[in-house]
Amino acid sequence: MSKGKIKTKWNLKKFYSSEKDPRIEREIMAIERAVIAFEKKYKKSNYTSSPNKLLKALKDYENLSEISSRSKAGRYFYFRKDLNSEDNVAQAYATKLDNRLTLLGNRITFFSLNISKIPRSKQNLFLQDKGLSKYSYLLKNIFDDAKYVLSEKEEQMVSLLANTSYSMWVDGQEKLLNIQTVDFKGQKIPLPKAMSMISEMPKNERDELNKEINQILKSISFFSEAELNAIYNFKKVMDERRGYKNPYSSTILSYQNDEKSIIKLVDLVTSNFRISRRFYKLHAKLLGLKKLSVADRGVKIGKISKKFSWQTSVKLVGEIFLKVGKKYHDIFYKLINSEQVDVYPKAGKAGGAYCSPSHNAPTMIFLNHTDDFKSLDTLAHEMGHAIHTELSKSQPLIYQDYPISSAEVASTFFEQAVLDEVEKGLSEREKIVSLHNRLMGDVSTIFRQVAFFNFELELHQKIRATGQISKEEISKLLKKHLESYMGNAFDITDDDGYFYIVVSHLRRFFYVYSYAYGQIISRSFFENWKRDPKFIEKIDKFLSAGGSKSPKEIFRDCGIDISNPKFFEDGLKSIEKDIDRLEKLSKLTSK
């Protein structure tokens, strides 16, 4: 447990003293020497001619990966930019470093390309070889991806262009957002903070602030128009060149999911948008409003009187994690006490929250804590990611990166564990408020994210068909998809559609489906654990599995068959049951 004053800022000296720290160059030089040696040894080698030869090459490749992971410079500069959007020194060093590492990566592009060229008729020989058993899942992924692989020179060109054709555009958009302030009631409020304040304000004030935010977004939409058209066209070129059938195909494959199953999930949720519309009708009634504005979407129906200061949140989450399992409690406090959590919002700091995993570097947590119930929720969520990351380090380096599609399962499981425990200490009225908040989260995580998936798909399709579309058209398109899941309980304006500018996940193509996927699986985990605390042993297997198997196999080991459509159908039905319960409870309290 923490003793004394809890540190609330990142200590980036855990990485380097400054951009001039000589360790940065020493580490990059070590990577360069290792890459050159590896290239010299294997570039003209016939290492794919037999399982034994490939085994030796893969061991050397794993050693090279270990050396490469020792450099923390990329993350160091990334963190500096997130703490201060005007840190141009960090931006410049990050760009130079990225270019340098890209050139090094290109020198070993040949390695996996040659493995992908092993004829299908011989692939089983390698997959079933006992000596290669450690690498069989890695090889399977390479073989599955083989038909989308380009020539070595083309792959090198793609990696060289990615920075200028994608990363710089996205970085520019984020920087532009992070320096925006909103003039409201005589104050200049950083845009991320202003957006987080809306749901806590009285009706008139939140509508007014929402309009001000929309005007800010609209005023900078010229850049986002150029950015989205550029990066979506870049993806179009890459997808066509590689032969991906659909805009989402490459993402689903890289997340190690089955495309047909994921599209069935998207279609299932879309066909059940009546559930989210039903919730919002109830939401309007509970707020006493005939019609909702977008600013009302996240408004609570009442207050949970307790404030959750940082110190209170840490103590509470630590105690709850201890009930789930001592190892989770210990990981939590290790991170809290090691200056690996940056807590409070400030001008120039990026908005939102995240956990940044790494192999040979500290796991870092980024927050914007504002002492409310949502902040407590976010702390539990991001710490769930951190626990997943720390336990996955038990795997060999090549399998420590867990699939993105399963990442949200860990975070939402721990989030639910905290919320469930906190609810026990609430009054009957506050329990209704908490149930409403939880449903609001489910609707946002499942139905809203699938609506974003549908929006993103149509945006890709329109840009591919016409070459580019205007910022006004993008806004109207998002409005259409917001209406699809929010329903006629809302009056949504054209200006509300400019929200696409701040949805960073639309730049991580089709990432959003992982939220719906993960939330439904997480609910199942939580319900199983509530029924039988020993189920934590299976959850622990999942948390420690990293990327050693496909998500489907990992969840099957936990007794969950995600290939069965009924599993996701039951997940949506459980949300309907919670809406039924909220309706009954709210009627009881109104009498």
Side-chain angles (χ1 to χ4, degrees):
M1 183 172 286
S2 175
K3 294 180 180 179
K5 186 177 180 181
I6 302 173
K7 302 277 181 72
T8 59
K9 293 182 180 180
W10 276 343
N11 177 12
L12 294 187
K13 293 191 185 303
K14 286 177 173 287
F15 293 81
Y16 304 102
S17 59
S18 74
E19 68 274 3
K20 296 180 181 179
D21 192 320
R23 289 181 298 158
I24 295 176
E25 183 59 25
R26 285 201 300 268
E27 289 165 357
I28 301 303
M29 289 290 289
I31 295 172
E32 286 180 347
R33 289 192 297 270
V35 165
I36 291 169
F38 185 87
E39 180 187 35
K40 184 177 180 180
K41 184 174 182 179
Y42 289 108
K43 179 76 172 178
K44 297 181 180 179
S45 166
N46 63 345
Y47 59 90
T48 61
S49 61
S50 72
N52 283 338
K53 288 183 179 180
L54 182 57
L55 177 61
K56 291 177 183 177
L58 285 169
K59 286 180 178 179
D60 284 345
Y61 181 74
E62 191 172 7
N63 289 334
L64 174 61
S65 298
E66 172 66 30
I67 294 169
S68 299
S69 71
R70 292 173 192 165
S71 173
K72 305 178 283 291
R75 298 178 76 231
Y76 170 71
F77 293 122
Y78 175 83
F79 294 147
R80 279 182 49 174
K81 288 189 293 176
D82 270 359
L83 291 178
N84 179 8
S85 61
E86 296 185 5
D87 189 345
N88 294 323
V89 172
Q91 178 68 65
Y93 270 85
T95 301
K96 287 193 293 185
L97 177 67
D98 186 67
N99 290 338
R100 193 171 173 186
L101 292 176
T102 297
L103 290 172
L104 286 174
N106 278 347
R107 296 187 72 155
I108 57 172
T109 300
F110 71 88
F111 187 71
S112 60
L113 283 178
N114 288 341
I115 295 174
S116 72
K117 293 175 183 176
I118 293 174
R120 282 195 172 189
S121 59
K122 293 185 177 180
Q123 287 177 4
N124 279 338
L125 174 68
F126 291 85
L127 290 173
Q128 295 173 9
D129 185 84
K130 289 184 179 179
L132 284 170
S133 59
K134 175 183 176 181
Y135 303 100
S136 61
Y137 187 58
L138 173 67
L139 292 174
K140 179 184 180 301
N141 287 333
I142 292 174
F143 294 153
D144 287 346
D145 201 40
K147 65 179 179 179
Y148 305 111
V149 171
L150 306 177
S151 68
E152 182 180 351
K153 287 186 176 180
E154 285 177 311
E155 290 290 352
Q156 290 173 342
M157 183 62 72
V158 169
S159 64
L160 289 168
L161 288 174
N163 195 24
T164 55
S165 300
Y166 175 83
S167 299
M168 284 184 171
W169 276 109
V170 175
D171 287 346
Q173 175 64 54
E174 289 180 355
K175 186 173 182 180
L176 183 60
L177 280 171
N178 290 340
I179 62 173
Q180 299 304 309
T181 58
V182 182
D183 290 325
F184 190 70
K185 288 192 168 183
Q187 296 182 51
K188 285 190 174 292
I189 306 171
L191 181 62
K193 185 176 180 180
M195 294 180 69
S196 69
M197 289 167 52
I198 287 180
S199 62
E200 304 299 324
M201 292 181 160
K203 173 65 174 170
N204 291 340
E205 289 185 13
R206 64 176 175 259
D207 283 342
E208 182 184 348
L209 180 56
N210 188 61
K211 287 179 182 178
E212 291 295 327
I213 289 171
N214 283 345
Q215 288 309 306
I216 294 290
L217 296 179
K218 196 173 181 179
S219 72
I220 61 173
S221 60
F222 66 92
F223 187 89
S224 188
E225 175 189 282
E227 173 229 5
L228 284 179
N229 276 292
I231 65 174
Y232 276 45
N233 269 301
F234 177 68
K235 177 171 170 55
K236 170 182 178 288
V237 171
M238 292 300 105
D239 281 356
E240 289 176 348
R241 186 68 187 87
R242 292 185 184 281
Y244 287 115
K245 184 178 179 182
N246 298 297
Y248 46 72
S249 297
S250 60
T251 296
I252 294 175
L253 179 63
S254 69
Y255 290 3
Q256 300 170 37
N257 287 135
D258 172 68
E259 185 170 313
K260 288 183 179 179
S261 296
I262 294 303
I263 298 308
K264 282 182 180 179
L265 169 61
V266 169
D267 290 343
L268 174 68
V269 175
T270 302
S271 67
N272 280 278
F273 276 170
R274 59 176 176 75
I275 297 174
S276 55
R277 294 176 195 145
R278 178 187 167 196
F279 168 76
Y280 283 126
K281 284 183 178 179
L282 177 58
H283 180 59
K285 287 180 181 178
L286 293 173
L287 290 174
L289 298 172
K290 291 182 178 180
K291 278 283 186 177
L292 299 168
S293 68
V294 167
D296 300 320
R297 183 182 65 86
V299 175
K300 314 297 189 295
I301 60 170
K303 289 186 176 181
I304 293 174
S305 57
K306 186 174 181 180
K307 283 291 184 182
F308 294 89
S309 69
W310 177 242
Q311 290 75 13
T312 299
S313 297
V314 167
K315 184 175 184 297
L316 190 56
V317 172
E319 290 172 352
I320 295 168
F321 279 16
L322 182 59
K323 290 181 180 180
V324 181
K326 186 176 184 300
K327 69 168 68 175
Y328 313 129
H329 164 275
D330 292 347
I331 291 170
F332 173 74
Y333 272 110
K334 184 188 80 170
L335 294 168
I336 291 292
N337 292 328
S338 300
E339 298 174 294
Q340 291 170 231
V341 185
D342 200 87
V343 179
Y344 295 114
K346 64 176 183 178
K349 180 179 176 179
Y354 61 76
C355 167
S356 178
S358 184
H359 302 297
N360 287 316
T363 299
M364 307 295 278
I365 308 291
F366 183 89
L367 302 172
N368 278 280
H369 194 91
T370 54
D371 293 356
D372 57 6
F373 194 70
K374 178 62 179 173
S375 295
L376 173 74
D377 187 22
T378 300
L379 172 61
H381 183 99
E382 298 306 334
M383 280 296 177
H385 284 307
I387 288 168
H388 196 185
T389 295
E390 292 295 299
L391 292 180
S392 292
K393 289 181 179 180
S394 63
Q395 292 291 333
L397 184 68
I398 55 172
Y399 295 134
Q400 285 183 20
D401 288 334
Y402 43 81
I404 290 176
S405 58
S406 63
E408 295 304 322
V409 177
S411 57
T412 50
F413 170 78
F414 284 98
E415 181 183 345
Q416 287 180 81
V418 167
L419 293 181
D420 187 70
E421 191 67 26
V422 170
E423 281 181 357
K424 294 176 183 177
L426 302 179
S427 68
E428 290 305 310
R429 174 59 188 168
E430 285 177 331
K431 285 179 181 178
I432 295 172
V433 172
S434 183
L435 175 58
H436 171 268
N437 292 348
R438 187 181 295 198
L439 274 166
M440 196 155 53
D442 285 335
V443 167
S444 182
T445 305
I446 297 172
F447 300 96
R448 180 176 175 81
Q449 299 307 322
V450 167
F452 279 155
F453 184 100
N454 296 335
F455 160 74
E456 189 180 340
L457 177 57
E458 190 169 357
L459 182 57
H460 278 280
Q461 291 169 336
K462 284 182 177 294
I463 290 175
R464 291 181 181 203
T466 63
Q468 66 178 48
I469 66 174
S470 70
K471 55 187 183 295
E472 293 84 6
E473 290 175 287
I474 301 174
S475 174
K476 288 179 181 178
L477 186 62
L478 181 56
K479 177 188 175 187
K480 166 188 163 183
H481 287 283
L482 291 178
E483 289 172 337
S484 69
Y485 92 95
M486 296 169 87
N488 57 18
F490 283 86
D491 278 328
I492 303 174
T493 70
D494 287 346
D495 284 355
D496 289 324
Y498 285 97
F499 187 74
Y500 72 83
I501 296 170
V502 300
V503 184
S504 61
H505 289 140
L506 298 176
R507 282 81 177 165
R508 296 177 65 184
F509 307 122
F510 298 99
Y511 175 92
V512 289
Y513 88 78
S514 68
Y515 282 107
Y517 173 91
Q519 181 76 354
I520 295 173
I521 296 171
S522 177
R523 281 179 68 100
S524 176
F525 267 15
F526 182 72
E527 288 164 8
N528 275 296
W529 174 68
K530 285 285 288 181
R531 283 193 296 268
D532 179 12
K534 289 184 179 179
F535 192 78
I536 196 63
E537 295 173 6
K538 292 184 177 180
I539 295 174
D540 199 64
K541 283 184 180 180
F542 153 69
L543 293 169
S544 304
S548 59
K549 297 179 181 179
S550 71
K552 183 168 72 173
E553 292 172 312
I554 291 171
F555 294 130
R556 185 183 295 150
D557 290 345
C558 299
I560 292 174
D561 182 9
I562 63 170
S563 64
N564 185 347
K566 189 176 182 300
F567 171 78
F568 290 107
E569 289 171 7
D570 289 345
L572 296 185
K573 287 176 182 177
S574 72
I575 295 172
E576 282 199 282
K577 289 178 182 177
D578 281 348
I579 296 175
D580 290 339
R581 188 158 66 95
L582 179 60
E583 283 180 336
K584 290 176 182 177
L585 289 172
S586 58
K587 285 176 183 176
L588 284 173
T589 57
S590 65
K591 289 181 179 179

